Amino acid sequence: MLAEIGYLALALSFAASLYAIVASVWGERTHHEDWVNSGRNAAMLTFALLTLAIGALWVALITEQYQLSYVWSVSDPQTPLFYRVTALWGAQRGSLLFWCWLMSGFAFGATLLNWRSDRRLMPYAVAYMMAVLAFFVGITLFIENPFARWWIDPASGQELQSVFAPAGALAPNPTRLAQTAQGLNPLLRHFGMIIHPPMLYLGFVGFVVPFAFAMSALASGDLTTNWIKATRRWALVAWLFLSLGLILGGRWAYDVLGWGGYWGWDPVENAAFLPWLVGTAFIHSVMIQEKRGMLKVWNMALVILTFSAVIFGTFATRSGVIQSVHSFARSSIGLPMLLFWAGMTGVSVWLLVWRWQRGELRDEHAFVSIFSRESLFVLNNVVFLALTAVIFWGSFGAPILSELVFNTSITLGVDYFMQVTVPLFALMYLLMGVAPLSAWSATSLVRLGGALLVPLGLTLVTVLLIALTSPFDAGAMLAYGLVFLAGYVALYETLRGAYARVRGRGEAWHVAIARLFGRNQRRYGGYMVHLGITVIGIGVIGSTAFQYETRRTLDIGETQAITADYSLRFDGFQRGLSADGRVVNVASLTVLRNDGQVAQIQPRIDEYPTMPMTIAGAHSTLEKDFYVLLTGYDEAQGYGVFKIYINPLVNLVWWGGLVLILGTLLAVYPKEIVPQDLRERSYRQQVAIDSKGRKPAGASA
Amino acid sequence: MRRASLWLVLGLLLCGASVVGAQSTAPTITLDDVHRVAERLYCPVCENIPLDDCGTATCMQWKGEIELLLREGKSDDEIVDLFVAQYGEHVVGIPHNPTLRALSFVPPLLLVLGLIGLGVLMFLRFGRGAPAASATAASTQDEADAFRARLEQDLG
């Protein structure tokens, strides 16, 4: 029954999304208000229908309906309830349905919240959002259906997968199905996996809203900043989720993948990073259009590129075009996705070029000074795009081209990415430090230099202190300098604003800061995000440039010096069977610092029937992580083999992520600029004006 | 005779010492030495996983091979070259073959240069072609106030 309900809801949502496209476009083109409203209602209905479909699958997972082949492939009777819930996104079919549901949720929210304020853009925006949704629901329905069930053909004894029973087929024995169920991929049995994929998916699908509004602006001819104003918060929300997804993904890798790091430059990690980079360029660039009416073509190109990167990232993850630890889900959806990606990008670029050639995207102002904020923002965009280009090339371009042209497979690893990205990241931090101090329109070098004086002085003092207190590394010191400069500028600008209030209005410091943030959430939220990126940068430099790594074999009871101040004692080893069927091998170790005991840690190897998992034991402080992996053991001989990492400042990566999130939330937090009653009056008047050129409601459809 | 005997004993002692010395300089290979080489190689089975972090049987065997080669006195570079010659370019993070190396680095460099050119072009083009800039830009708050006032006026 659950399969029928889910399938029907999925099929209806596909039909509703197609109907929404036709009704919206037709209504807009023929000025039929009823058709437009009908398209909107159909678009909103898709969310309800997909909620029903996803609900059916969740119930099937929780109630152990193993006849559904998806449930059978991602759970078994030993799977705890917690992982049954997260198994929804544990493999291709479920995660595609989940993706569709999230996208329909965004479309629902954007339609509901923007309908009145952005009435002119809405019909085409709905059509675009539904076109993307229809594609994803379509491939879920026709290629990767999560409601397919196991059947047995009595004649041949063959097992078949189909939603509905093939002629004469019988349902398999439920007990047998439960006994053979595969269970969840061990890599996904981690707390981080509850949040990481949904956050990443939310980030990915969230960019459909700015993309749809931009395309609507191109299609409708409303090429003012309306589409940017309508979608600024949506873009920031998508960016926030994408950032969260990347940070949580890094944390999951650090905890579960067992290699002592959080970013391996894996192609699928990179595929998620690409939309973040282009999206960041877009978020900065739209400010120039809002403030100065410039870069209209550029912003359109960036939003197209961002969404294109989202679809490409999805294609790369799910098609298996590049193999990696993430490509858990390979199927026949590769070609349709590639065609959709090419088609969507092609149509969008064609629309943009068409409007551009008609001269409708002309800028309102010119660049005056190379040191003006808009010029530096353009340079910032160039850096983000350059990062996108080199990462894309290393992850996909070069390996694919090498295979096609030279018939040789190559791997571009960490060495490549460190060589090509580090100079660009350095430039990014430099611009983060300089651009906020430059003024819009005209800025002289002298003025900019004067504004930089205090943050630069603080930076030099800080770097000098670091150089005196830690091992000297010229590259790392330069990197610290650039990162600290960006942070000090953000802090200095905030404190300068607060000081002006303290001095001018006699406010207390905390009141001044709170009111400053309240008055211009976007600017100070942005500074907070910069501060978060600075803290992340400090963590990345510390944990990369000063990481210490060693391998040791220890007998039980033996203590070995690891560094001048750290020692490690191997206390014992235990082996047991856990409730979910895995064999757990745990080593007990004592971490000593200057001969004093500081922590007891338990690295372990979990043996699942399909694969082993190496889970680290770590003594974690803000200063550093003492991170140990158990890589081998011999119970009979009484020794264990360990990989030991000392990761300085690694926790700043997570704390910086938190600051970044808080800053984005501050920038996104809704603030009423035009009161509700005024907006209502505006909407009524707009509808009245629009209806002059439209057929009255109820005249058709 | 006594003097000759002393020289003989000294000579034997030196020989013995040299043998002990030779034995003590025979390479002692630690796990860290193996790791130093293994982190420069990639798993041949699981793509994009560094050899050092991979637990497959093949990778374990390769690490054993690295240890043997280190014992034989091969340098890190020689071992990496041997693996590339034997298993192909995909076992290293940057190809050794000059053509493939160029394929890896030249296009991104050109892309970056192209983007910089695009930035310069934008500055020059929009600096010349567009109308002159106003001296100051309105703040967000001013813009909002102006919008609100205009809306009030329009709505009567």
Side-chain angles (χ1 to χ4, degrees):
Chain A
M1 188 64 181
L2 284 169
E4 282 88 353
I5 291 172
Y7 182 80
L8 193 64
L10 195 59
L12 285 174
S13 70
F14 181 64
S17 56
L18 290 179
Y19 173 78
I21 300 167
V22 175
S24 299
V25 174
W26 175 256
E28 181 63 15
R29 303 284 304 171
T30 59
H31 303 293
H32 278 95
E33 189 66 18
D34 280 0
W35 276 100
V36 171
N37 287 336
S38 180
R40 174 198 61 188
N41 296 342
M44 293 172 84
L45 181 66
T46 58
F47 180 54
L49 289 167
L50 286 167
T51 304
L52 185 63
I54 210 163
L57 190 58
W58 247 325
V59 171
L61 279 162
I62 292 166
T63 57
E64 303 184 42
Q65 307 289 319
Y66 295 112
Q67 198 194 346
L68 264 77
S69 64
Y70 182 75
V71 176
W72 178 87
S73 66
V74 295
S75 64
D76 59 22
Q78 283 79 43
T79 308
L81 176 67
F82 173 71
Y83 290 130
R84 286 186 182 285
V85 175
T86 63
L88 183 75
W89 49 86
Q92 178 90 291
R93 288 179 283 166
S95 70
L96 266 176
L97 179 63
F98 186 52
W99 172 283
C100 295
W101 180 63
L102 294 176
M103 185 176 280
S104 68
F106 262 95
F108 181 87
T111 309
L112 192 70
L113 296 173
N114 291 72
W115 189 260
R116 282 169 178 253
S117 51
D118 304 288
R119 179 63 187 73
R120 197 177 163 196
L121 292 168
M122 286 314 294
Y124 284 123
V126 165
Y128 264 95
M129 287 190 286
M130 288 301 108
V132 179
L133 183 67
F135 170 76
F136 280 97
V137 173
I139 55 170
T140 312
L141 186 64
F142 300 115
I143 305 175
E144 292 285 356
N145 198 314
F147 298 105
R149 288 177 285 190
W150 286 119
W151 301 99
I152 292 177
D153 178 11
S156 63
Q158 264 192 332
E159 290 159 345
L160 308 165
Q161 276 193 63
S162 165
V163 177
F164 300 105
L170 300 170
N173 181 332
T175 316
R176 172 86 183 126
L177 280 172
Q179 281 168 349
T180 55
Q182 292 183 323
L184 190 63
N185 181 343
L187 283 171
L188 308 181
R189 298 181 202 191
H190 180 264
F191 185 78
M193 288 312 291
I194 312 166
I195 314 173
H196 163 62
M199 292 298 118
L200 215 51
Y201 293 174
L202 279 167
F204 272 22
V205 301
F207 275 114
V208 77
V209 179
F211 170 74
F213 275 80
M215 293 307 101
S216 173
L218 288 174
S220 67
D222 180 0
L223 298 163
T224 60
T225 53
N226 283 344
W227 73 272
I228 290 176
K229 286 181 177 134
T231 61
R232 189 185 74 82
R233 285 204 168 82
W234 289 107
L236 277 173
V237 166
W239 187 86
L240 169 69
F241 282 124
L242 200 49
S243 308
L244 256 170
L246 290 167
I247 293 164
L248 287 168
R251 181 71 213 201
W252 169 72
Y254 190 66
D255 287 345
V256 169
L257 293 185
W259 49 274
Y262 42 84
W263 192 263
W265 295 105
D266 171 88
V268 178
E269 277 175 343
N270 296 345
F273 193 35
L274 296 178
W276 188 90
L277 287 167
V278 195
T280 310
F282 171 71
I283 285 166
H284 283 90
S285 179
V286 288
M287 278 190 250
I288 305 176
Q289 189 171 340
E290 279 185 279
K291 292 270 186 190
R292 310 270 303 145
M294 297 163 75
L295 302 180
K296 290 179 181 174
V297 176
W298 184 252
N299 286 328
M300 284 287 181
L302 279 181
V303 81
I304 293 170
L305 196 59
T306 305
F307 195 65
S308 185
V310 163
I311 302 294
F312 180 80
T314 314
F315 160 73
T317 317
R318 293 170 182 278
S319 68
V321 64
I322 292 283
Q323 292 186 6
S324 80
V325 288
H326 288 82
S327 295
F328 58 86
R330 284 173 203 146
S331 76
S332 51
I333 63 170
L335 185 64
M337 286 197 90
L338 188 66
L339 292 175
F340 176 73
W341 173 58
M344 198 57 136
T345 309
V347 169
S348 312
V349 170
W350 174 79
L351 260 177
L352 174 59
V353 171
W354 177 59
R355 287 287 180 194
W356 189 14
Q357 284 180 338
R358 284 163 60 107
E360 291 169 333
L361 290 164
R362 203 163 283 153
D363 286 351
E364 292 157 26
H365 291 95
F367 287 103
V368 175
S369 160
I370 198 157
F371 300 108
S372 66
R373 191 175 286 192
E374 51 268 38
S375 299
L376 294 177
F377 270 33
V378 168
L379 193 55
N380 142 307
N381 271 220
V382 167
V383 172
F384 278 114
L385 290 187
L387 276 166
T388 308
V390 298
I391 294 171
F392 174 84
W393 185 255
S395 312
F396 307 101
I400 291 172
L401 205 66
S402 165
E403 190 105 31
L404 289 175
V405 179
F406 301 101
N407 200 23
T408 307
S409 70
I410 58 169
T411 307
L412 290 182
V414 178
D415 294 344
Y416 165 84
F417 290 103
M418 291 305 276
Q419 284 186 39
V420 297
T421 61
V422 168
L424 292 169
F425 277 121
L427 198 54
M428 181 197 87
Y429 273 103
L430 179 68
L431 285 166
M432 253 174 73
V434 177
L437 295 172
S438 64
W440 293 106
S441 187
T443 306
S444 71
L445 185 59
V446 176
R447 190 179 154 184
L448 190 59
L452 263 172
L453 223 54
V454 175
L456 201 60
L458 288 169
T459 302
L460 288 173
V461 171
T462 309
V463 173
L464 193 67
L465 284 173
I466 295 172
L468 291 172
T469 53
S470 62
F472 184 77
D473 178 325
M477 293 308 134
L478 179 67
Y480 270 135
L482 293 169
V483 169
F484 271 106
L485 178 67
Y488 278 133
V489 165
L491 271 178
Y492 177 64
E493 282 294 286
T494 307
L495 292 177
R496 214 166 57 140
Y499 179 65
R501 291 188 75 97
V502 169
R503 210 173 159 191
R505 303 181 186 204
E507 290 171 350
W509 270 97
H510 66 280
V511 176
I513 288 175
R515 288 190 179 157
L516 192 72
F517 277 37
R519 181 164 167 78
N520 199 340
Q521 294 161 242
R522 193 172 173 183
R523 176 192 288 179
Y524 293 101
Y527 285 153
M528 211 161 154
V529 171
H530 280 200
L531 207 59
I533 301 277
T534 298
V535 176
I536 291 174
I538 296 168
V540 170
I541 297 165
S543 57
T544 310
F546 301 107
Q547 185 186 51
Y548 176 76
E549 189 179 343
T550 185
R551 272 85 176 134
R552 298 296 172 91
T553 303
L554 271 83
D555 292 325
I556 291 177
E558 184 187 357
T559 303
Q560 276 191 24
I562 306 300
T563 59
D565 50 351
Y566 276 107
S567 305
L568 192 64
R569 189 177 68 223
F570 183 18
D571 296 324
F573 179 83
Q574 276 185 313
R575 186 181 172 88
L577 190 67
S578 78
D580 59 359
R582 76 202 135 113
V583 177
V584 184
N585 305 281
V586 187
S588 297
L589 298 157
T590 301
V591 183
L592 305 145
R593 192 170 192 182
N594 300 321
D595 296 329
Q597 181 177 325
V598 290
Q600 283 193 311
I601 55 175
Q602 293 191 314
R604 64 175 207 266
I605 297 175
D606 291 353
E607 290 173 24
Y608 290 92
T610 48
M611 64 189 292
M613 292 273 296
T614 310
I615 310 291
H619 168 53
S620 195
T621 62
L622 199 58
E623 180 198 1
K624 62 183 77 168
D625 264 16
F626 192 95
Y627 178 104
V628 181
L629 294 163
L630 171 66
T631 58
Y633 50 87
D634 189 323
E635 254 184 302
Q637 302 282 329
Y639 71 84
V641 186
F642 302 93
K643 265 191 203 177
I644 301 148
Y645 297 86
I646 296 175
N647 294 327
L649 305 176
V650 68
N651 287 307
L652 291 184
V653 175
W654 324 124
W655 285 106
L658 189 66
V659 176
L660 180 148
I661 289 155
L662 290 175
T664 317
L665 285 174
L666 180 68
V668 169
Y669 192 75
K671 182 182 175 184
E672 193 177 59
I673 294 172
V674 179
Q676 176 76 24
D677 62 321
L678 207 56
R679 274 186 283 153
E680 288 286 338
R681 279 163 62 198
S682 163
Y683 171 72
R684 283 198 297 273
Q685 200 165 65
Q686 202 180 341
V687 169
I689 293 164
D690 284 355
S691 63
K692 282 178 190 169
R694 293 172 193 268
K695 292 186 182 170
S700 61
Chain B
M1 184 64 187
R2 196 176 162 194
R3 198 180 173 90
S5 304
L6 275 174
W7 275 115
L8 185 66
V9 171
L10 190 62
L12 283 171
L13 279 174
L14 279 173
C15 285
S18 67
V19 170
V20 170
Q23 278 174 349
S24 67
T25 55
T28 309
I29 307 303
T30 64
L31 290 172
D32 283 345
D33 295 326
V34 176
H35 153 73
R36 197 181 58 242
V37 183
E39 71 174 356
R40 294 173 60 185
L41 294 166
Y42 279 77
C43 171
V45 184
C46 330
E47 285 181 36
N48 296 302
I49 306 279
L51 176 64
D52 193 42
D53 302 321
C54 189
T56 60
T58 315
C59 287
M60 291 302 187
Q61 192 188 328
W62 276 27
K63 284 177 215 172
E65 249 181 82
I66 292 170
E67 190 179 347
L68 279 176
L69 291 166
L70 284 169
R71 281 192 198 289
E72 285 172 17
K74 295 264 191 304
S75 71
D76 294 5
D77 287 341
E78 283 172 333
I79 296 172
V80 171
D81 288 343
L82 269 170
F83 272 84
V84 172
Q86 204 169 345
Y87 301 104
E89 290 286 350
H90 69 287
V91 303
V92 277
I94 294 175
H96 283 195
N97 177 301
T99 312
L100 294 173
R101 211 181 174 88
L103 175 79
S104 306
F105 284 99
V106 174
L109 184 69
L110 292 176
L111 277 169
V112 171
L113 290 175
L115 281 166
I116 291 169
L118 185 67
V120 171
L121 194 74
M122 277 173 74
F123 186 79
L124 294 175
R125 182 184 163 84
F126 295 115
R128 269 205 316 265
S134 58
T136 51
S139 71
T140 309
Q141 194 61 38
D142 293 343
E143 229 175 55
D145 290 345
F147 174 63
R148 187 176 169 171
R150 204 165 56 238
L151 204 58
E152 287 276 17
Q153 198 183 351
D154 288 351
L155 294 170

